[in-house]
């Protein structure tokens, strides 16, 4: 039987100073396994060796994959995780003071997922950031009103894997793994939400998300936008297969197909991409128009407004 109650998996790429802060926020305990998976960083070998010497309790691995992928690094960590629980941290984030004492009472529980509140900080100004707000609202809604609707949002709409403690049994017995794409959290989180039998939400702040200009979540290229849309389409397909039609509005999927195409067009992705997304929606059996929830007059109004806005931007 494993001596570890908790395994923390941290992918890393070229941010050894921020990784140092993350590692310093994790108490040194014999029952906590800390796994760092380096994504083939450039010229960080000496710094990583120093961190390994500084924090004698960490395990350091290098990703065997040629492509840079946070998700694949997390998979390397999953294969080596021995704890009853698994948490994922990002190398440029950190845990808040006293976090371990807050989640420790759940170590002997039979939950599959434990959600917890985040905060955020702007690394350039040192002031409180905004990246946590989208998650806190959904969690607070569940904490204040733990009904079926708020539970569905918690299970399927809180994408960040860093804001949950996962049962190792759930991940390993269900063979849940990350994909290579840049929006790797989403599909992993949805699959965990589908497979989890019992979930809980802790009304305590545990994790601090950092934000800075170089972050993937701040810089949205066309490639990242495209991958996010394709991941959203796959998420819609997964949820359409498991949720009854009456529950789709709870997670904003009553007209998801049309919304995806409309938003892509409004964001200037072009007719070719919109057509590609339409084919993917069909492949996932996600209807473009759900007549049960459709208001045709509103849709036509939105479409013409979008076309007018795009024309106005081009002529100014």
């Amino acid at each position: 039987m494993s001596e570890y109650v908790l395994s923390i998996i941290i992918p890393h790429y070229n941010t050894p100073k921020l990784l140092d802060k993350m590692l310093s926020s994790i108490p040194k305990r014999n029952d906590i396994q800390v796994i760092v998976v380096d994504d083939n960083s450039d010229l960080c070998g000496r710094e990583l060796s120093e961190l390994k010497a500084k924090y004698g309790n960490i395990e350091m691995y290098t990703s065997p994959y040629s492509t840079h992928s946070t998700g694949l690094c997390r998979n390397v960590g999953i294969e080596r995780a021995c704890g009853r629980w698994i948490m994922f941290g990002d190398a440029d984030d950190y845990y808040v003071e006293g976090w371990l004492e807050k989640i420790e009472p759940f170590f002997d529980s039979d939950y599959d997922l434990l959600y917890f509140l985040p905060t955020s900080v702007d690394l350039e100004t040192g002031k409180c950031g905004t990246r946590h707000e989208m998650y806190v609202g959904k969690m607070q809604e569940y904490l204040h009103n733990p009904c079926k609707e708020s539970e569905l949002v918690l299970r399927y709409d809180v994408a960040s894997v860093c804001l949950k403690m996962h049962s190792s049994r759930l991940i390993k017995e269900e063979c849940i793994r990350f994909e290579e794409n840049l929006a790797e959290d989403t599909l992993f989180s949805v699959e965990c939400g589908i497979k989890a039998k019992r979930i809980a939400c802790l009304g305590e702040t545990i994790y601090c998300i950092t934000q800075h200009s170089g972050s993937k979540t701040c810089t949205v290229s066309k490639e990242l936008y495209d991958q996010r849309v394709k991941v959203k389409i796959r998420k819609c397909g997964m949820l359409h297969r498991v949720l009854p039609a009456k529950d789709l509005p709870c997670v904003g999927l009553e007209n998801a197909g049309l919304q995806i195409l409309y938003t892509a067009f409004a964001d200037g992705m072009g007719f070719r991409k919109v057509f590609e997304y339409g084919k993917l929606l069909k492949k996932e059996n996600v209807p473009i128009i759900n007549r049960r929830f459709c208001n045709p007059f509103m849709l036509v109004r939105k479409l013409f407004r979008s076309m007018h806005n795009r024309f106005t931007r081009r002529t100014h």
Side-chain angles (χ1 to χ4, degrees):
M1 187 174 177
S2 170
E3 62 184 276
Y4 297 118
V5 68
L6 174 64
S7 297
I8 302 176
I9 299 170
I10 308 166
H12 167 265
Y13 181 68
N14 282 345
T15 57
K17 290 184 179 179
L18 295 175
L19 175 62
D20 189 4
K21 183 172 180 62
M22 162 56 88
L23 293 173
S24 70
S25 70
I26 303 173
K28 292 185 178 180
R29 285 187 16 175
N30 292 333
D31 58 352
I32 297 179
Q33 180 187 25
V34 182
I35 301 171
V36 176
V37 183
D38 182 64
D39 199 6
N40 297 286
S41 292
D42 307 317
L43 306 176
C44 288
R46 182 176 58 83
E47 292 92 335
L48 293 177
S49 296
E50 290 173 355
L51 288 176
K52 184 170 176 59
K54 180 179 179 180
Y55 302 98
N57 64 322
I58 69 170
E59 301 174 22
M60 190 88 68
Y61 303 98
T62 301
S63 171
Y65 303 100
S66 57
T67 56
H68 295 300
S69 168
T70 301
L72 296 181
C73 286
R74 287 175 175 153
N75 289 341
V76 172
I78 289 172
E79 296 305 319
R80 290 161 174 78
C82 301
R84 278 182 286 157
W85 295 91
I86 294 176
M87 290 171 62
F88 300 99
D90 284 340
D92 52 355
D93 297 336
Y94 56 90
Y95 295 98
V96 304
E97 186 175 354
W99 68 273
L100 186 58
E101 290 77 9
K102 296 173 183 176
I103 67 168
E104 202 164 11
F106 292 88
F107 284 165
D108 291 325
S109 71
D110 62 351
Y111 290 111
D112 290 313
L113 290 173
L114 173 69
Y115 297 76
F116 43 76
L117 299 177
T119 185
S120 63
V121 64
D122 189 309
L123 291 177
E124 295 171 354
T125 65
K127 296 180 180 179
C128 184
T130 57
R131 284 184 57 196
H132 67 292
E133 294 174 356
M134 60 185 292
Y135 303 114
V136 170
K138 296 168 184 176
M139 294 182 185
Q140 292 285 14
E141 178 63 29
Y142 177 80
L143 289 166
H144 294 151
N145 182 26
C147 60
K148 179 181 180 181
E149 289 77 10
S150 60
E151 180 179 328
L152 288 172
V153 171
L154 196 65
R155 282 179 180 266
Y156 305 128
D157 231 13
V158 177
S160 175
V161 297
C162 297
L163 310 184
K164 308 160 196 174
M165 187 167 70
H166 307 73
S167 162
S168 180
R169 179 189 67 253
L170 171 69
I171 292 177
K172 297 199 171 187
E173 289 185 2
E174 297 291 345
C175 296
I176 304 173
R177 295 294 185 272
F178 291 90
E179 296 188 8
E180 184 181 333
N181 61 67
L182 295 175
E184 72 285 336
D185 280 22
T186 300
L187 299 180
F188 185 94
S189 290
V190 170
E191 191 169 359
C192 285
I194 291 171
K195 299 291 178 60
K197 292 182 174 62
R198 298 193 67 217
I199 68 170
C201 186
L202 176 64
E204 297 278 0
T205 301
I206 301 294
Y207 192 80
C208 182
I209 307 167
T210 66
Q211 58 188 65
H212 51 94
S213 58
S215 169
K216 286 182 182 178
T217 50
C218 292
T219 307
V220 182
S221 63
K222 277 205 167 185
E223 178 193 9
L224 178 56
Y225 185 97
D226 182 56
Q227 288 211 26
R228 285 180 175 174
V229 173
K230 289 175 179 176
V231 165
K232 185 171 184 179
I233 291 172
R234 290 185 57 197
K235 171 187 174 181
C236 290
M238 293 169 70
L239 293 180
H240 268 80
R241 287 190 287 273
V242 300
L243 293 179
K246 63 183 177 61
D247 289 341
L248 294 176
C250 299
V251 286
L253 296 184
E254 62 270 34
N255 275 309
L258 186 62
Q259 185 180 34
I260 287 169
L261 299 184
Y262 163 77
T263 303
F265 178 76
D267 289 342
M269 292 302 285
F271 285 107
R272 183 176 295 179
K273 271 295 177 186
V274 171
F275 181 71
E276 179 185 345
Y277 298 150
K279 289 172 64 177
L280 291 174
L281 286 165
K282 183 177 181 181
K283 181 181 177 182
E284 293 288 340
N285 293 317
V286 177
I288 292 178
I289 296 178
N290 192 329
R291 291 179 176 83
R292 178 172 178 173
F293 304 106
C294 183
N295 182 334
F297 298 104
M298 185 65 69
L299 295 176
V300 171
R301 184 181 176 186
K302 281 187 174 183
L303 180 60
F304 275 102
R305 184 183 298 168
S306 172
M307 294 175 70
H308 172 74
N309 291 341
R310 289 193 68 197
F311 178 78
T312 304
R313 286 199 299 268
R314 287 181 177 179
T315 55
H316 284 79

